[in-house]
Amino acid sequence: MGKQTNIKLRGTVENIIYYQWKGIDCIRTVPARVRQTKPTKKAASDFGLAVKCSASLRSSFKYLLPEIPAGRPLIYAMDGSYRKWLQINPLDDKEKIDHINLFNELSFNEKVTISKVLNINILVSRGNNGDVIINWPAFVPINTIKAPGGTDHVTINYVMATQDLKDPVACQSLETKLEIPYNGETVPAKEILLPNVTGRKLLAILGMSIRYFKQGLQSMPVNTVAWKPGGVAGSFYN
């Protein structure tokens, strides 16, 4: 804001406004209009969609997350994964896409990742008719899963969240879990079928967590955050 001297004017001349404020004759310029380019509009649209998708996914995965509500680092990480994925225009792609790195790299817990406590190769693949199949090979729990002292059994929890990117709030989810005695006996190979969870223009993300329970009159969960690993185990589009 500048002050007028000598000649006192009122009104607008091109991009300059002459006016009076608290008895003082003033002058200022009209703010320039910012014209949004197509990339700018797309970035704004992607950001809004990413935030909605991320919030919907966290709601579906609340059973798997070590904290409720999710901490800010996880929120930022999920938002960022969706935003970076949308930047490559995947919604225009008609091909099936399996295991999207931007999602598969997501961990739900900064203190511990699944790979640090689970020493086994679990195959997650797309089956027929929109199915997803989880294949566990045979394993010995005490040799394969790191656990805190006194652990009686372990649960492996899965949630498959399926999103329609045109309506991300309406996220469908399917839950299943394995309960494993924590001992030296071999657990036989197991196949888990998640039926009809993928499809055209749908994004399907499989979340996984490990929870530990101690022996007692009642099974007592281990509530230490450092023993609550979780993350994305698979992702599929189309």
Side-chain angles (χ1 to χ4, degrees), residues 29-236:
T29 58
V30 178
R33 293 183 179 179
V34 178
R35 180 174 296 177
Q36 285 192 323
T37 63
K38 285 185 178 180
T40 302
K41 290 180 180 179
K42 183 183 184 306
S45 176
D46 288 351
F47 180 84
L49 180 57
V51 170
K52 290 179 182 179
C53 289
S54 177
S56 178
L57 187 66
R58 289 193 301 277
S59 179
S60 296
F61 283 175
K62 61 185 178 181
Y63 176 59
L64 305 178
L65 305 182
E67 296 178 70
I68 298 180
R72 301 308 301 180
L74 177 57
I75 292 174
Y76 295 147
M78 278 192 176
D79 287 0
S81 292
Y82 275 100
R83 196 166 59 252
K84 291 174 184 176
W85 182 63
L86 290 169
Q87 285 175 356
I88 63 176
N89 299 316
L91 306 189
D92 298 330
D93 199 333
K94 296 181 180 180
E95 298 295 325
K96 292 180 179 179
I97 304 171
D98 295 352
H99 300 299
I100 305 163
N101 289 337
L102 287 167
F103 296 113
N104 282 19
E105 294 171 354
L106 274 173
S107 174
F108 303 155
N109 191 342
E110 289 184 306
K111 295 184 180 295
V112 59
T113 61
I114 289 176
S115 61
K116 286 188 176 180
V117 300
L118 188 61
N119 183 27
I120 190 173
N121 184 26
I122 305 161
L123 180 62
V124 178
S125 59
R126 189 194 295 253
N128 298 321
N129 303 317
D131 301 339
V132 166
I133 302 168
I134 306 169
N135 278 297
W136 278 71
F139 67 99
V140 177
I142 60 172
N143 296 336
T144 304
I145 306 172
K146 292 182 181 179
T151 295
D152 174 71
H153 66 280
V154 175
T155 62
I156 309 295
N157 311 288
Y158 287 107
V159 175
M160 174 61 88
T162 303
Q163 293 180 315
D164 182 344
L165 277 298
K166 292 182 179 179
D167 185 16
V169 176
C171 186
Q172 304 297 318
S173 61
L174 178 65
E175 299 180 7
T176 189
K177 70 177 181 180
L178 292 175
E179 186 164 315
I180 302 167
Y182 194 69
N183 54 37
E185 297 182 11
T186 299
V187 176
K190 184 174 182 62
E191 179 181 282
I192 303 171
L193 177 67
L194 304 176
N196 197 30
V197 291
T198 67
R200 185 81 175 96
K201 294 294 184 182
L202 297 178
L203 174 64
I205 299 180
L206 179 64
M208 172 185 175
S209 72
I210 301 174
R211 294 295 180 263
Y212 301 90
F213 296 84
K214 293 189 175 183
Q215 189 176 19
L217 295 177
Q218 294 181 338
S219 293
M220 301 296 294
V222 176
N223 286 321
T224 307
V225 175
W227 287 107
K228 290 186 175 182
V232 172
S235 53
F236 306 85

